[in-house]
């Protein structure tokens, strides 16, 4: 049995850690996609490398609210995969230097594109609602775009055709994850969601026909 078999499937990679001698750090998944365990690992034998790995694990527990299992693996409290969000949590955690604090991010951002403050409320059962401190079509569009960004980044689901609510399919709240993903959500192009909605209706236009 090779080591790759034991360690699991690699799902994300930091090729060169800028905060620790450019070592390579990888995120591995073990177990089925529906209920995986995650492993943060480096092959580096450098002194201090394991401390760096421990720092990344600790950062993931705080920034993504993952939990550490008895054997040092990570999983979400709900037991679900959330692979895309887990990979994002891993990457963001590895961006931190040992001097940075790994605090969960607030469920509020300033949306640079609109100048509005965007707030996300947890409605329970894994459902989140995006709000803007503005009114009118412009605010509605930004709310919809940012909800769409969360939907894509967090592999979330639409809620009864609403444009401002998204939900984790596991039915559990993941506030820390939403805070983490919210930073990037405004930059996910709305076109992605439009394509998905169009695809679900069977009217997906060819890229050349989109503007
Ligand atoms: Zn979950």
């Amino acid at each position: 049995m090779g080591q790759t078999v034991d360690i699991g499937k690699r799902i994300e990679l930091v090729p060169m850690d800028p905060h620790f001698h450019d070592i390579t750090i990888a995120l591995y998944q073990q177990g089925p996609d529906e209920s995986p365990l995650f492993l943060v690992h480096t092959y580096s034998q450098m002194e201090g490398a394991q401390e760096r790995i421990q720092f990344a694990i600790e950062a993931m527990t705080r920034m993504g609210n993952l939990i550490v299992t008895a054997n040092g693996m990570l999983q979400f409290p709900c037991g679900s995969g959330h692979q895309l969000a887990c990979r994002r949590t891993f990457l963001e955690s590895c961006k931190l230097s040992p001097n940075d604090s790994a605090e969960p991010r607030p469920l509020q951002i300033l949306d640079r594109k609109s100048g509005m403050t965007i707030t996300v409320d947890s409605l329970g059962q894994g459902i989140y609602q995006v709000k803007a401190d503005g009114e009118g079509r412009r605010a509605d569009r930004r709310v919809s775009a940012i909800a769409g960004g969360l939907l894509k980044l967090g592999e979330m689901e639409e809620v009864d055709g609403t444009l401002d609510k998204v939900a984790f399919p596991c039915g559990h709240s993941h506030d820390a994850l939403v805070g983490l993903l919210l930073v990037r959500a405004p930059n996910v192009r709305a076109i992605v969601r439009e394509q998905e909605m169009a695809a679900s209706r069977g009217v997906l236009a060819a890229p050349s026909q989109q503007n």
Side-chain angles (χ1 to χ4, degrees):
M1 298 282 270
Q3 199 166 8
T4 44
V5 174
D6 298 324
I7 201 170
K9 174 174 72 174
R10 193 178 79 195
I11 60 172
E12 194 53 86
L13 183 73
V14 174
M16 288 194 287
D17 175 8
H19 301 299
F20 191 78
H21 305 286
D22 290 345
I23 64 170
T24 300
I25 305 178
L27 180 68
Y28 292 83
Q29 175 186 322
Q30 295 180 10
D33 284 346
E34 313 82 61
S35 55
L37 293 171
F38 300 104
L39 174 70
V40 181
H41 179 75
T42 181
Y43 284 106
S44 171
Q45 303 289 330
M46 193 175 284
E47 193 178 336
Q50 286 314 309
E51 283 76 10
R52 179 62 180 156
I53 296 300
Q54 283 308 314
F55 176 85
I57 291 171
E58 169 74 14
M60 287 180 73
T61 65
R62 300 178 72 139
M63 294 179 75
N65 194 218
L66 285 105
I67 50 177
V68 183
T69 66
N71 54 1
M73 311 274 287
L74 287 161
Q75 73 178 155
F76 286 106
C78 65
S80 294
H82 303 303
Q83 276 87 351
L84 204 54
C86 186
R87 286 165 56 193
R88 174 56 49 197
T89 307
F90 169 73
L91 291 173
E92 295 295 330
S93 296
C94 289
K95 281 183 191 167
L96 298 176
S97 86
N99 300 322
D100 294 327
S101 73
E103 295 302 320
R105 299 204 171 118
L107 298 186
Q108 189 173 74
I109 52 160
L110 176 66
D111 174 37
R112 284 192 206 128
K113 190 163 177 179
S114 66
M116 296 176 192
T117 298
I118 302 293
T119 306
V120 182
D121 293 335
S122 175
L123 304 183
Q125 297 183 307
I127 301 170
Y128 290 85
Q129 181 172 22
V130 181
K131 292 178 180 168
D133 69 339
E135 290 179 359
R137 288 189 59 187
R138 188 145 172 267
D140 290 347
R141 274 205 303 272
R142 287 311 287 157
V143 163
S144 173
I146 290 166
L150 287 175
L151 183 114
K152 174 151 180 62
L153 294 171
E155 296 176 294
M156 298 172 83
E157 294 175 338
E158 295 189 15
V159 178
D160 299 331
T162 59
L163 292 172
D164 61 341
K165 298 191 193 79
V166 288
F168 286 107
C170 65
H172 291 81
S173 297
H174 292 286
D175 290 3
L177 275 188
V178 172
L180 190 89
L181 301 174
L182 182 59
V183 178
R184 290 185 165 253
N187 302 319
V188 176
R189 292 170 63 191
I191 190 82
V192 171
R193 189 178 204 201
E194 286 164 13
Q195 281 176 342
E196 283 167 356
M197 291 174 77
S200 71
R201 295 194 301 266
V203 292
L204 182 61
S208 61
Q209 294 175 292
Q210 295 166 2
N211 46 35

